[in-house]
Amino acid sequence: MAQCPNCKHPLRWRHWRPTCPGCGVNLMFFGFEDRFYEDAKNAELSFAALRVKSKRFKAGLAGSKLAKLRLIVMVFPFLALLLPAATLQVNLPHAAQTFQGGLLGMVSLVMGNKFALPFLLQSAQSEPLKTLFFRFDSVLLCYALLALLALAVLLLSMFSFLRVKRLSIAASILSLTGALCSLAAFFFARMLSDASSALEGAPALASAGFGAPLAALVFLAVAWINWRLGREGVEVEFDEGDLERAEIYAKVKRGGLCLAELPYPVVETEATRAREAEIQAQMQSDGGDDSA
């Protein structure tokens, strides 16, 4: 059952008037001023929190020269992986195949010729090509791991505005891991090329490419940029009072503070003081006109 907010008098269906039958207070406008100021305080705090998040987002993405540079180079690992680390040509009767040890070669194996991947796996068990295919499979495995690392670095770089220093350091560590994995792919590619040279007359020819060393250099560059951002961070400039308002708003949402207990304006700044002075001057001017 509804009650009067002033005197707690029960309100029934027959009480159709806008005033309370017990105390006579106007039910529609009771507490209007308190609700008005609560809405004003909530708007002040919530908009300030939104401005703080927006500025942190912009600063995390492009708030410094290093951050802008990272926006450009964070996709370079994927581009470097397009170049193959090794190439394997198999010239069996009625089964000539060319395999690229790179990202495009992996996509071609999975989505291209449906006989290519089974042929590659079956040939890895046959002599005298067993050694060649085992080392070529090792190159592909390294590139699969590199693709995952490149994706993780890209995502951490894009969302680093959430925690600029921590996520940038994490992206730097993953980039260093990618550089090491690229060197491992180059090592297997060289072993593949040497094994192919040792097998004279074999129906297969393998050669090492420049994709893996290039990927290692790119991952090192990305690691250095993220490490610098993780150590130095990005300076964010907030409007006066916005950061304090955002902290107060977080406490209000957690239930640690009540809007009714806060003053209005919640945080005084030069802008709020100038606006208050303008309002007071306008009120005095209106009062002078009325007395005249």
Side-chain angles (χ1 to χ4, degrees):
M1 181 182 297
Q3 293 180 339
C4 173
N6 184 41
C7 66
K8 307 304 179 185
H9 186 279
L11 301 176
R12 305 182 184 278
W13 63 270
R14 62 178 181 273
H15 297 145
W16 54 273
R17 297 179 183 276
T19 57
C20 173
C23 63
V25 69
N26 192 309
L27 299 174
M28 296 181 62
F29 294 99
F30 180 80
F32 173 79
E33 184 176 357
D34 294 336
R35 293 193 302 272
F36 172 81
Y37 277 107
E38 284 190 9
D39 291 341
K41 296 172 191 176
N42 185 68
E44 175 188 351
L45 298 177
S46 60
F47 281 116
L50 183 61
R51 289 193 297 269
V52 167
K53 290 182 180 179
S54 175
K55 291 192 175 184
R56 282 177 174 167
F57 171 76
K58 293 179 180 178
L61 286 181
S64 66
K65 293 182 178 179
L66 279 176
K68 294 177 181 178
L69 181 60
R70 182 175 62 180
L71 276 179
I72 301 174
V73 304
M74 66 183 181
V75 298
F76 281 11
F78 279 108
L79 299 179
L81 294 180
L82 296 178
L83 295 178
T87 302
L88 179 62
Q89 297 178 351
V90 182
N91 298 315
L92 296 177
H94 308 290
Q97 296 284 344
T98 299
F99 301 100
Q100 297 288 339
L103 190 59
L104 289 179
M106 293 173 56
V107 174
S108 178
L109 283 173
V110 176
M111 303 181 62
N113 188 353
K114 63 180 180 180
F115 299 107
L117 185 58
F119 173 80
L120 183 64
L121 296 176
Q122 184 177 3
S123 300
Q125 306 299 325
S126 62
E127 296 290 351
L129 303 179
K130 183 176 182 179
T131 302
L132 289 180
F133 279 93
F134 175 76
R135 293 176 181 177
F136 185 77
D137 291 343
S138 300
V139 173
L140 291 182
L141 182 62
C142 289
Y143 261 66
L145 181 58
L146 284 171
L148 294 177
L149 290 171
L151 179 61
V153 170
L154 177 65
L155 293 177
L156 287 176
S157 300
M158 290 177 60
F159 292 98
S160 63
F161 63 89
L162 298 174
R163 293 289 187 274
V164 174
K165 292 188 176 182
R166 292 182 181 180
L167 295 183
S168 296
I169 291 295
S172 177
I173 295 174
L174 290 180
S175 298
L176 288 176
T177 306
L180 294 177
C181 191
S182 300
L183 294 179
F186 178 69
F187 173 74
F188 285 119
R190 292 301 305 174
M191 291 181 62
L192 173 66
S193 180
D194 295 341
S196 174
S197 300
L199 293 176
E200 297 181 0
L205 179 63
S207 61
F210 297 98
L214 178 61
L217 292 176
V218 171
F219 272 108
L220 285 176
V222 175
W224 178 79
I225 294 173
N226 278 287
W227 180 260
R228 286 280 305 276
L229 283 172
R231 293 294 301 273
E232 300 174 7
V234 178
E235 185 177 355
V236 187
E237 295 183 0
F238 301 108
D239 294 338
E240 183 186 5
D242 273 358
L243 191 59
E244 185 179 355
R245 292 186 181 105
E247 295 173 352
I248 295 174
Y249 186 61
K251 294 179 181 179
V252 170
K253 290 198 299 183
R254 291 196 299 265
L257 289 176
C258 180
L259 285 174
E261 300 174 354
L262 298 175
Y264 182 78
V266 180
V267 178
E268 283 196 359
T269 62
E270 188 66 30
T272 60
R273 286 189 289 269
R275 186 165 60 249
E276 183 66 24
E278 182 180 352
I279 294 174
Q280 293 296 331
Q282 184 66 32
M283 292 176 61
Q284 292 178 1
S285 175
D286 294 342
D289 294 342
D290 293 341
S291 61

